[in-house]
Amino acid sequence: MKKIITIIIILALTGCSKDFLDRRSLVQLGEASFWKNEQEARLGINGIYDVLQDRVLYSGTLNATGGASFHMYDCFGDNAFNSYKFEGPGNFMESNIDQSNLLFSNLWNSLYKGIGRANAALENLEKIPAANISDASKKSLIGQAKFLRGLFYSQLAIYFQDAPLILKVQKLEEAYVPKNTYVELSAQVVKDLTEAVDLLPASHPASDYGYATKGAALGLLARFHLYNKNYQGVLDATTPMLTLGYSLNTSYAQLFTEQGEFSKEVVFSIRFNQDVSNNGELFSASFAALPKVNYQPMKNLVEDYYCTDGKPITTSPLYNPATPQTRKVNRDPRLTASVYFNQDTFLTDLSRRFTGNTATTYGLRKYLRRTSVSATGIGIFSPGGQDFYAIRYADILLMRAEAMIELNQLSTAYPLINQVRARVTMPSVESAEGAGLSQDALRTVLRHERRVELAFEGLRYFDLKRWGTLEQAYQRARADAVPAYNPTYMPGGKSEVFAIPLTELNANNKLVQNPLWK
């Protein structure tokens, strides 16, 4: 659909293509004249999806204060350096942040905006007369609203731990509420996603590509169970996904371009359209002088990619450290699909080479555009049209493998890890690390595989927190000795939770700050 507010009702029929509803349209239509039929119901649901395109959620930034999106959450830890520290992660890593920081308030506000729109949808969808909407459509739309509310609350729980649980449209006098516990938020996330699984179809028509499906709800449920160490829940959620038609994209590098957006590997994506005002993204944007300087791959990550014989660079005879260009030869193909080395061409239309002129000496490649100007004349530093993959099938396979390892079902984990490796022609676990590994050894293999497979997709902080290894990641980041960067793990676990925004505490005297941030 196109964002033309004056004819917005007509646009409801275009579904969930690459651009979602402009948030202003919901304000312009009064409650009395809205939620009366299927067209308006679809508009209301699109209004929830629109929140996912907020800069601080999935759209991304190049240089906005407190504007780091989930895409940049690899900067919380050892994968990447946020050189524009004012965006959030850089200051957070240096313990140079307090509860007034926009990183916290921007994220909090966007998540509750989405929750508010989902609550409005769930209250009003049930009221639409049966004559004005088919049962199948109503069921699907309710499922999408529950999925999206579950997504927003899962992020609140993971990053803020305790937060208000609001499940209805609030009147002004009801808006001042205390926070609920992590356990209460978690129960609601599982409830919403479980119900969404039952309500959502396995697929949508091509015109509705981007709407959540049964697989998306199962994948998000599995991820949340993984965070909570409910490993049987992970297996239960991923088992039906094995027969829903997902598969790995043949090319790892091509997947993270616009040509890969319809791959069967994509389980749930946030869609963007470069040529629609306020509907583009900046996570694939960069600069003409060097690749995305605010998001720099770190040395310890680059060195963690194995050689093509499946061995670390410290033991493989294939590794040649002589120059930046020789260091990338005979390495896991996912490395050069994700990272630029000194003298790599990063803008093909200008034949412009990266000169290693970042603080880490490496440049980000994954998801970034490769030309200085698009075919329609839009610059590399302007909003683009690359979809962001919130859930993909490789992650499903690795989550399932991890659950099996933690449940000590070791033999069943090997084929899943091998499947992910085979896509990039890396050796199997048996041939590289050996068969019959101990649980600890196979756990190490799995964690390495997640790191190199999912690098720069925003999941590193999520993984480090749940593994209890974030402090060690800070130490690795510090050991990289990036100039003017001083990662400092905050005591007592403060580095593992976000502060409730000061603006919220000032506005609502029933809210109490997390003790670590008082």
Side-chain angles (χ1 to χ4, degrees):
M1 74 193 78
K2 297 298 180 183
K3 290 189 174 186
I4 305 175
I5 305 305
T6 54
I7 57 169
I8 200 163
I9 294 299
I10 296 174
L11 302 178
L13 295 177
T14 60
C16 187
S17 57
K18 291 210 70 170
D19 46 321
F20 300 123
L21 180 68
D22 189 296
R23 66 196 68 179
R24 293 168 295 172
S25 61
L26 291 179
V27 177
Q28 293 172 348
L29 295 173
E31 286 291 326
S33 60
F34 198 56
W35 298 107
K36 297 299 183 184
N37 53 49
E38 183 171 339
Q39 292 175 319
E40 293 174 2
R42 288 168 68 89
L43 283 174
I45 293 297
N46 286 348
I48 314 172
Y49 281 99
D50 173 72
V51 178
L52 299 178
Q53 294 181 331
D54 280 3
R55 293 284 179 230
V56 76
L57 294 189
Y58 293 100
S59 181
T61 180
L62 276 180
N63 57 4
T65 300
S69 67
F70 290 133
H71 171 247
M72 291 186 67
Y73 277 31
D74 274 34
C75 296
F76 295 110
D78 52 359
N79 272 9
F81 168 49
N82 173 216
S83 64
Y84 291 176
K85 299 175 187 177
F86 55 81
E87 291 177 330
N91 282 332
F92 188 95
M93 286 290 293
E94 292 189 319
S95 189
N96 183 26
I97 197 167
D98 61 31
Q99 58 190 332
S100 67
N101 196 277
L102 289 175
L103 171 70
F104 305 136
S105 57
N106 288 344
L107 177 59
W108 179 281
N109 291 339
S110 283
L111 293 176
Y112 275 109
K113 178 171 60 177
I115 289 166
R117 293 185 183 184
N119 287 341
L122 291 168
E123 285 192 13
N124 286 285
L125 281 166
E126 296 288 0
K127 301 175 184 177
I128 299 177
N132 295 348
I133 187 171
S134 69
D135 289 342
S137 291
K138 179 182 284 190
K139 180 180 177 182
S140 174
L141 294 175
I142 290 173
Q144 289 173 63
K146 286 182 178 290
F147 167 82
L148 291 166
R149 188 170 70 179
L151 173 60
F152 295 130
Y153 268 123
S154 71
Q155 292 161 336
L156 272 169
I158 289 168
Y159 299 113
F160 292 96
Q161 290 185 355
D162 300 340
L165 181 61
I166 301 166
L167 300 175
K168 66 176 184 177
V169 176
Q170 293 176 304
K171 298 177 182 177
L172 181 60
E173 60 271 19
E174 300 172 326
Y176 303 102
V177 297
K179 64 183 182 180
N180 292 77
T181 66
Y182 177 84
V183 171
E184 291 170 323
L185 294 183
S186 293
Q188 186 62 46
V189 171
V190 172
K191 181 176 186 294
D192 276 348
L193 295 178
T194 300
E195 291 175 358
V197 168
D198 293 334
L199 292 165
L200 289 169
S203 63
H204 294 284
S207 59
D208 287 348
Y209 186 77
Y211 278 148
T213 60
K214 187 182 297 293
L218 287 165
L220 185 57
L221 181 61
R223 181 177 289 170
F224 197 65
H225 280 320
L226 191 67
Y227 187 78
N228 288 322
K229 297 179 170 57
N230 178 3
Y231 301 116
Q232 186 57 52
V234 175
L235 295 187
D236 292 343
T238 55
T239 295
M241 296 189 69
L242 302 178
T243 57
L244 285 178
Y246 298 111
S247 60
L248 298 179
N249 200 61
T250 304
S251 168
Y252 182 85
Q254 186 259 5
L255 177 63
F256 300 98
T257 68
E258 291 192 50
Q259 288 68 47
E261 291 177 343
F262 294 95
S263 168
K264 291 184 179 179
E265 183 166 348
V266 178
V267 177
F268 181 67
S269 60
I270 291 80
R271 310 217 66 209
F272 294 96
N273 191 326
Q274 185 173 49
D275 299 318
V276 177
S277 177
N278 296 323
N279 192 246
E281 46 71 29
L282 287 170
F283 69 84
S284 77
S286 188
F287 301 96
L290 74 173
K292 208 171 184 73
V293 66
N294 58 325
Y295 192 5
Q296 302 176 21
M298 295 196 72
K299 175 176 175 283
N300 76 89
L301 168 64
V302 171
E303 292 181 346
D304 207 20
Y305 285 84
Y306 293 163
C307 290
T308 52
D309 58 4
K311 298 181 183 298
I313 62 172
T314 53
T315 60
S316 174
L318 300 178
Y319 182 61
N320 181 355
T323 70
Q325 285 295 301
T326 63
R327 289 174 205 147
K328 70 177 188 178
V329 176
N330 298 322
R331 301 288 293 280
D332 184 330
R334 290 170 291 192
L335 174 58
T336 51
S338 304
V339 175
Y340 284 120
F341 284 68
N342 192 338
Q343 295 306 306
D344 283 348
T345 299
F346 74 98
L347 292 179
T348 57
D349 59 328
L350 302 179
S351 298
R352 181 161 295 166
R353 294 181 181 273
F354 171 54
T355 61
N357 54 336
T358 61
T360 67
T361 74
Y362 298 102
L364 181 67
R365 175 171 180 169
K366 195 176 198 176
Y367 268 130
L368 262 59
R369 292 169 240 162
R370 300 293 314 278
T371 58
S372 63
V373 181
S374 75
T376 55
I378 296 176
I380 192 171
F381 46 78
S382 298
Q386 172 67 53
D387 291 356
F388 183 82
Y389 311 138
I391 309 171
R392 60 186 181 91
Y393 192 55
D395 189 15
I396 301 301
L397 296 175
L398 294 178
M399 287 194 289
R400 186 171 175 83
E402 183 172 351
M404 290 172 170
I405 292 168
E406 297 304 329
L407 293 171
N408 210 28
Q409 301 173 15
L410 304 184
S411 63
T412 55
Y414 285 84
L416 298 171
I417 300 172
N418 290 341
Q419 189 175 341
V420 175
R421 287 185 172 188
R423 183 253 297 274
V424 290
T425 66
M426 285 295 288
S428 68
V429 177
E430 293 90 339
S431 61
E433 289 92 351
L437 297 178
S438 68
Q439 185 183 40
D440 282 346
L442 195 53
R443 181 184 290 123
T444 299
V445 169
L446 182 282
R447 291 181 179 185
H448 170 268
E449 196 65 26
R450 281 191 67 83
R451 189 182 195 193
V452 298
E453 174 67 27
L454 303 172
F456 313 120
E457 296 179 47
L459 292 173
R460 183 62 172 170
Y461 188 47
F462 168 88
D463 282 343
L464 293 168
K465 274 160 52 75
R466 64 188 181 80
W467 290 336
T469 59
L470 183 61
E471 187 171 4
Q472 295 96 305
Y474 269 72
Q475 293 168 359
R476 286 189 292 272
R478 191 180 184 91
D480 274 2
V482 176
Y485 185 44
N486 185 30
T488 304
Y489 185 80
M490 293 181 276
K494 188 176 179 180
S495 290
E496 312 205 10
V497 61
F498 288 175
I500 294 177
L502 182 60
T503 51
E504 296 299 316
L505 297 171
N506 290 339
N508 178 4
N509 60 16
K510 293 185 179 181
L511 270 183
V512 178
Q513 183 60 272
N514 187 300
L516 294 171
W517 284 90
K518 285 186 176 179

